[in-house]
Amino acid sequence: AVVSTQSTGANGLEIKANSLILSYNSPIVSHVTRNQSYLALEDISEDAANCFIDAAYSGELVQLNRTNFGDVDRMVRQLKVEWMIDRCREFFKGMVDSLTGESDITKIAFLLDRAESLHKSMENKEYLDLVITKISSSFSAKQKYDFLKAKYADMMGTLKPYEMDILLKIADAEIVSQFVVQHLPTLEANKLDHNTRYLLENASWEGESRKSCESVSEMFRQLQKLDGVDDLKFIIGVQQKRHLIALGENSKAIALLEAATVRTMTWNLEMQEVSKLEDSEGEMLSPLAHAGNVPWRIYAKNIKTERDIIGFFVECCYKSIWEWSCEADITLTLCSYQDDSCAIERTTSNVFSNETYPSWGFRNFIRISELKDPARGFIKNGSITLKATVNIVASSGI
C-alpha cells in the first residue's frame, strides 16, 4: 500500500506500508486496499504519517508528540483506528491536565484550537469539554480574562456560535460585562448586534462578587445609552432577570427575559430583477432579522428539479455545538401591488434544531407563469415583495 500525504504549500509525499498490517488496524484501509493500493490523506505531515505507520506496525503510539498530534489525531479518526483514538485521547487529556494558572497563553490556545478543530472536522466536542472544564475549574478570574481577551476580544462581532458558547462556558459576569463594554463602540447605528444579545441573554448572573457587580452595573449604564426601543426593552429584561436571580427566583427570571425578547418578527424581501428567478440557479436572500433571539432570513429560489416552480422559505440561522431547539409558526406571503386580495399567503410550522435542516417553507409556492401574470399584480417595475412572519412558540438551549 502507498499512503500519500500532502502538506499545505508542499508537494505530496508517498510512504510505502504493508497493506495487511494497515488493514488489520483500520477498517477504512481494509476497504481501500481490497479495491486499490492508494490512500490519499490531505494535509497530513510526513511526521504524522510515519507516526501512524510505526504505530500500526508496533502496536504502540510512541512517536506521538505535541507537534504531530493534530494530524495524527485527525488521521486515526478518519481511518477509525479505535485503539489509536484512545491513545490520542489519553495524550490530549495529559496535556490538558498539565495546564495550570501559570501556563503560557499560547499553550492554552493550542489545546483549545485542537479541540475546536476536532469539533469542526468531526463534530465531536469531547476535547472542548476537557479544555473548558480545566480552564473553568483551575484558573483565576484574571487568568480567564487574559486568555479570553487574547483569543476573542478583538473579534466579538464576528465570533461564530460555537466560539460564543465557549466564551460563556468560561466567562463569569464580570468578564462578560467587560467584553460587552469594549465591544459597544463598534456597534453599527448604536444598536445591539446578535452576538451582544446572545452574551447578555445567556451569561450567568449567579454568584456575582462585589467587584463583578460594579463591572456589570457599569455595563448596564453604557447599554442604556443605546437608541433602539427594542434594545432598551431587552436590556431592562436582562437587568430584571439579574436581580431576580440574585434573590433566588431563577424560574421567574427566565420567564421575564423570555417575555422581554421579541417573539414575533415580520419582515420583507423586495426582489429587484425578479427575472433572475427564471434561471435554474436563481436565488434571492433577505438580510437577517431576529425573533426569539434567533437570526432568521427568508429566501426564494428556482426549484431546478421542477419546471416553472418558485420555492419560498425561511431559514433559521442559529448555530451551536450544544443541543437547542426552536418551534416556530411561519407565515409566508407574496404581496400584490395591485390588490391585497390577490396576495398569496401560506402558513406552516416547524421545530428547528441542531439535528434538523435549517430551512422550512414551500417548494411549490408559485409557478413562474402565474408570478408573471399581469392580472395578479405581483411584479412592479421588475420587482416583487415577499413577506415572512415568524412567531416563536417555544425554544430551549438558546
Side-chain angles (χ1 to χ4, degrees):
V2 175
V3 178
S4 176
T5 71
Q6 180 182 350
S7 299
T8 302
N11 293 326
L13 176 71
E14 293 184 348
I15 303 174
K16 293 183 179 180
N18 185 286
S19 301
L20 181 61
I21 293 176
L22 294 188
S23 299
Y24 180 76
N25 284 271
S26 167
I28 303 298
V29 175
S30 177
H31 172 76
V32 170
T33 54
R34 278 199 305 268
N35 297 279
Q36 59 187 47
S37 60
Y38 190 84
L39 177 63
L41 296 168
E42 293 186 354
D43 296 327
I44 298 293
S45 69
E46 178 183 355
D47 185 29
N50 282 322
C51 176
F52 168 77
I53 292 170
D54 176 76
Y57 278 57
S58 67
E60 295 292 337
L61 205 53
V62 294
Q63 294 185 27
L64 186 64
N65 56 53
R66 186 176 183 273
T67 301
N68 66 25
F69 169 78
D71 283 351
V72 173
D73 184 64
R74 180 158 53 91
M75 188 177 187
V76 300
R77 287 177 185 274
Q78 288 176 342
L79 298 178
K80 298 182 180 180
V81 186
E82 295 299 331
W83 75 267
M84 291 193 201
I85 293 174
D86 289 340
R87 298 296 188 278
C88 285
R89 185 183 293 115
E90 292 169 6
F91 185 84
F92 187 84
K93 187 176 185 302
M95 289 193 290
V96 172
D97 289 341
S98 70
L99 290 177
T100 68
E102 304 303 318
S103 297
D104 187 89
I105 285 179
T106 57
K107 182 178 180 181
I108 307 169
F110 166 80
L111 293 177
L112 189 55
D113 287 343
R114 290 266 39 90
E116 290 178 358
S117 177
L118 176 63
H119 164 64
K120 286 186 286 187
S121 62
M122 309 291 290
E123 295 188 355
N124 185 320
K125 63 184 183 69
E126 62 174 317
Y127 286 178
L128 271 179
D129 289 338
L130 283 172
V131 178
I132 290 170
T133 299
K134 181 65 175 183
I135 295 174
S136 300
S137 62
S138 303
F139 286 47
S140 68
K142 183 180 184 306
Q143 290 162 342
K144 293 175 187 176
Y145 174 75
D146 289 343
F147 169 67
L148 292 172
K149 181 181 179 182
K151 186 165 179 62
Y152 294 133
D154 293 337
M155 50 183 195
M156 253 285 295
T158 58
L159 290 180
K160 296 179 176 62
Y162 76 87
E163 292 172 322
M164 297 287 291
D165 288 336
I166 291 171
L167 194 158
L168 285 165
K169 289 279 187 179
I170 298 173
D172 58 13
E174 182 179 3
I175 294 174
V176 169
S177 64
Q178 290 171 328
F179 268 61
V180 170
V181 169
Q182 291 168 18
H183 182 57
L184 285 179
T186 70
L187 295 178
E188 293 185 11
N190 206 29
K191 292 183 179 180
L192 289 178
D193 58 14
H194 173 69
N195 279 2
T196 307
R197 279 177 169 264
Y198 188 85
L199 275 185
L200 292 170
E201 186 175 24
N202 293 284
S204 172
W205 305 109
E206 298 184 62
E208 292 182 40
S209 65
R210 180 174 179 179
K211 183 180 178 183
S212 67
C213 283
E214 293 173 355
S215 181
V216 173
S217 296
E218 174 59 26
M219 176 192 70
F220 282 118
R221 281 193 290 272
Q222 296 293 329
L223 287 169
Q224 288 166 2
K225 298 177 183 178
L226 296 174
D227 297 330
V229 174
D230 287 340
D231 283 348
L232 292 175
K233 287 181 179 179
F234 173 76
I235 291 162
I236 290 170
V238 174
Q239 285 181 296
Q240 291 176 316
K241 173 191 174 184
R242 177 185 169 227
H243 291 315
L244 286 170
I245 286 176
L247 295 172
E249 301 283 354
N250 290 37
S251 59
K252 290 182 181 179
I254 293 170
L256 185 66
L257 185 57
E258 287 181 347
T261 302
V262 176
R263 309 293 289 179
T264 303
M265 177 64 67
T266 298
W267 72 111
N268 294 346
L269 169 59
E270 183 174 349
M271 298 174 58
Q272 302 171 1
E273 301 182 55
V274 70
S275 59
K276 288 184 177 179
L277 284 177
E278 296 184 57
D279 185 277
S280 62
E281 301 294 329
E283 182 176 85
M284 303 292 284
L285 302 173
S286 77
L288 292 178
H290 288 77
N293 204 37
V294 174
W296 304 84
R297 67 180 176 187
I298 58 180
Y299 70 94
K301 66 180 296 184
N302 184 299
I303 307 301
K304 58 185 177 182
T305 57
E306 309 281 348
R307 293 192 63 184
D308 192 37
I309 295 292
I310 299 297
F312 185 14
F313 310 87
V314 295
E315 181 178 4
C316 177
C317 299
Y318 183 84
K319 291 180 175 61
S320 173
I321 59 175
W322 281 273
E323 291 185 4
W324 62 274
S325 66
C326 180
E327 181 181 356
D329 293 332
I330 301 160
T331 302
L332 301 174
T333 307
L334 172 60
C335 301
S336 172
Y337 294 99
Q338 185 167 294
D339 186 344
D340 288 345
S341 65
C342 292
I344 297 178
E345 180 177 290
R346 296 189 181 182
T347 60
T348 183
S349 61
N350 188 45
V351 177
F352 300 88
S353 75
N354 52 330
E355 296 182 350
T356 61
Y357 194 69
S359 299
W360 194 256
F362 300 91
R363 286 175 55 85
N364 58 343
F365 193 84
I366 189 172
R367 292 187 176 277
I368 294 177
S369 55
E370 185 182 356
L371 178 69
K372 296 169 68 176
D373 182 357
R376 304 296 298 274
F378 295 128
I379 301 177
K380 182 179 180 180
N381 298 327
S383 300
I384 64 172
T385 298
L386 302 171
K387 181 171 71 174
T389 298
V390 173
N391 176 55
I392 307 303
V393 177
S395 62
S396 65
I398 295 176

